[in-house]
Amino acid sequence: MRKCLGGEALIQFSLLGSGSSGNALLIKTDTTKILVDCGLSYRQLRLRSAEVGETIDDLAGVLVTHEHSDHVNGIGVLTRKLGPPVYMSRGTYHNLPKSLGLLKGIECFEPGDTVTLGDIEATSFSVAHDAADPVSYVLRANGTILGIAADLGHATALVRQRLAGAHGLILESNYCPDMLRQSSYPFQVQQRINSSSGHLSNRDMSSLLAHVAHDELQQVVLIHISDENNTHELAKRMAVQALGVRAVPVDVAPQDRPTNLFEVSS
Ligand SMILES: [Zn+2]
Ligand SMILES: [Zn+2]
């Protein structure tokens, strides 16, 4: 692992999985390791963290965005086996799937609250998504900022404000509107995805990115890409267009395997 040099504050992260088959984001600094969401099985969490050279034995905590099963399926087993504290909004907690079983170490907050885990400060913010009380997070560690926008129907002024100034951005880019319209999905499902509380399209991701990109931005990773209604190439092209002359690396997280361990610093 690269060590922090002379005041450099590094945040490293890998999407262990991203999309409707299970979301988990591993984030670490020199001293603290956390997960955002845990929609993978315990076995997959272990296997995929090992693929990026990491373990989940020393997690300082898990931050949850919302109660949809692709974000929480692995929480029950994880807390019973390893017992890291798990943070979520009160509304999320009261709407968790019963199938998770006994849960240990749950800490509830109100959207807008900040949770401190080691040297990571995670500030939650509300997002427009069809869940009880969904949030996303902006993480700060020694001056380095990582902004996450997962599962949101549209980017509100609050989302744009919270992501401004981030050194790394993890953004949903779920579907291409044209592909969704021509897909085999039933009309109601199309409507749900397309609604202002469904998922973020490539087009909306692109306009969000154009709004929040700045000279200190170092890495963009696109997440929650639909297998049926999008392609990695399309989503990436829209992000590169939004960045214009800024030469910022853009990567796309696959559903079924981990990404590299990305790095951003201040
Ligand atoms: Zn969701
Ligand atoms: Zn989701």
Side-chain angles (χ1 to χ4, degrees):
M1 193 199 98
R2 207 171 119 198
K3 283 274 160 201
C4 290
L5 306 166
E8 185 188 27
L10 201 63
I11 297 182
Q12 295 180 302
F13 61 97
S14 167
L15 281 302
L16 301 179
S18 175
S20 52
S21 49
N23 295 274
L25 164 59
L26 183 77
I27 296 165
K28 61 179 287 201
T29 65
D30 234 16
T31 59
T32 307
K33 188 189 295 172
I34 65 169
L35 281 182
V36 174
D37 285 334
C38 183
L40 297 174
S41 69
Y42 186 71
R43 182 182 142 77
Q44 282 299 320
L45 269 182
R46 280 215 165 279
L47 285 173
R48 295 188 195 189
S49 349
E51 272 189 60
V52 291
E54 298 295 337
T55 162
I56 52 168
D57 288 327
D58 51 355
L59 287 174
V62 182
L63 301 167
V64 173
T65 59
H66 64 296
E67 71 274 16
H68 289 163
S69 57
D70 55 320
H71 297 259
V72 299
N73 257 347
I75 284 176
V77 178
L78 181 74
T79 60
R80 291 192 290 277
K81 284 199 184 278
L82 298 179
V86 182
Y87 300 85
M88 63 186 73
S89 72
R90 203 167 303 281
T92 298
Y93 175 64
H94 289 298
N95 288 276
L96 286 172
K98 298 281 175 281
S99 58
L100 298 184
L102 176 71
L103 292 167
K104 291 182 179 173
I106 302 289
E107 306 269 348
C108 290
F109 59 71
E110 298 303 324
D113 286 355
T114 296
V115 172
T116 303
L117 295 163
D119 64 357
I120 297 177
E121 274 194 350
T123 301
S124 60
F125 54 93
S126 290
V127 293
H129 187 55
D130 50 8
D133 199 4
V135 298
S136 205
Y137 296 94
V138 60
L139 309 183
R140 287 185 173 76
N142 305 311
T144 303
I145 305 172
L146 181 63
I148 306 164
D151 286 38
L152 66 170
H154 70 286
T156 58
L158 177 67
V159 170
R160 292 201 299 269
Q161 186 195 74
R162 287 292 180 263
L163 298 185
H167 300 98
L169 285 171
I170 299 172
L171 303 179
E172 175 170 34
S173 195
N174 181 253
Y175 67 98
C176 159
D178 297 332
M179 288 176 73
L180 179 65
R181 213 174 304 119
Q182 288 156 22
S183 76
S184 60
Y185 283 21
F187 182 67
Q188 270 99 337
V189 179
Q190 291 191 20
Q191 290 282 88
R192 188 237 144 193
I193 294 170
N194 201 20
S195 78
S196 61
S197 59
H199 287 281
L200 206 64
S201 69
N202 294 344
R203 210 178 280 159
D204 291 342
M205 172 280 294
S206 181
S207 87
L208 170 62
L209 180 56
H211 196 91
V212 298
H214 62 109
D215 290 344
E216 304 296 316
L217 178 61
Q218 295 158 26
Q219 177 72 56
V220 175
V221 183
L222 304 177
I223 58 165
H224 223 293
I225 310 278
S226 166
D227 270 347
E228 191 152 339
N229 303 314
N230 208 354
T231 69
H232 287 200
E233 294 68 30
L234 264 180
K236 185 171 173 171
R237 199 184 312 147
M238 295 291 282
V240 169
Q241 262 173 30
L243 289 164
V245 293
R246 292 189 172 90
V248 180
V250 176
D251 287 83
V252 184
Q255 298 234 12
D256 56 350
R257 59 185 192 282
T259 64
N260 300 332
L261 203 55
F262 299 107
E263 294 184 353
V264 289
S265 61
S266 53

